[in-house]
């Protein structure tokens, strides 16, 4: 039985669906996202996969997924700015992870800028780029 996703926008759209392009958006150009806590696997396999339109599943066809991921990421830019305490070393060489250091503070904003050839989507949310943030927690998001 599939796990029910409770993270959604006010309109009932699942937060991960906001990373998917519409048919008229064109090819992915680049994305920049900010977060406090960060899960590189979730970002790459869920968020980036939707943004780039990756059709293969890493759990079902690992080699085909890696090839498709490399092809798509060679054509688009991707970067995450995460609080330095949560900027893990695990990541792809095809996308950037930048640790953010704030004196006497934390990097807590959660913004995602997704740019396709004919569309820009900005997501402002309370969800970190983690599996719980996007799939289990009750979070709020607005897309512009």
């Amino acid at each position: 039985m599939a796990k029910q996703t409770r993270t959604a926008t006010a309109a009932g759209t699942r937060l991960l669906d906001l990373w998917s392009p519409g048919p008229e958006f064109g090819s992915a150009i680049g994305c920049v996202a900010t977060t406090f806590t960060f899960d590189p696997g979730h970002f790459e396999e869920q968020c980036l996969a939707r943004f780039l339109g990756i059709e293969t599943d890493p759990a079902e066809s690992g080699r085909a997924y890696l090839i498709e991921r490399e092809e798509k990421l060679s054509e688009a830019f991707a970067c995450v700015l995460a609080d330095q305490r949560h900027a893990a070393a695990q990541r792809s060489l095809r996308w950037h992870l930048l640790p953010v250091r704030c004196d006497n503070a934390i990097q807590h904003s959660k913004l995602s800028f997704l740019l396709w050839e004919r569309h820009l989507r900005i997501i402002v949310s309370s969800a970190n780029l983690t599996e719980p943030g996007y799939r289990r927690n009750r979070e709020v998001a607005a897309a512009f």
Side-chain angles (χ1 to χ4, degrees), residues 19-33:
W19 285 77
S20 298
E24 70 284 359
F25 288 14
S27 299
I29 294 175
C31 72
V32 176

Side-chain angles (χ1 to χ4, degrees), residues 41-105:
H42 167 78
F43 174 71
E44 186 172 289
E45 295 174 10
Q46 300 298 320
C47 302
L48 267 185
R50 283 171 172 77
F51 171 69
L52 297 169
I54 293 175
E55 297 176 3
T56 53
D57 183 343
E60 294 178 10
S61 52
R63 188 173 295 162
Y65 168 78
L66 292 175
I67 292 169
E68 184 179 12
R69 180 195 70 184
E70 289 303 307
E71 288 174 353
K72 299 271 185 167
L73 281 171
S74 71
E75 300 171 357
F77 175 82
C79 180
V80 174
L81 288 82
D83 187 85
Q84 69 176 354
R85 290 165 285 247
H86 300 284
Q90 175 196 359
R91 64 180 180 259
S92 167
L93 295 177
R94 286 280 187 195
W95 53 269
H96 304 277
L97 175 59
L98 302 175
V100 175
R101 179 182 175 152
C102 302
D103 291 334
N104 302 317

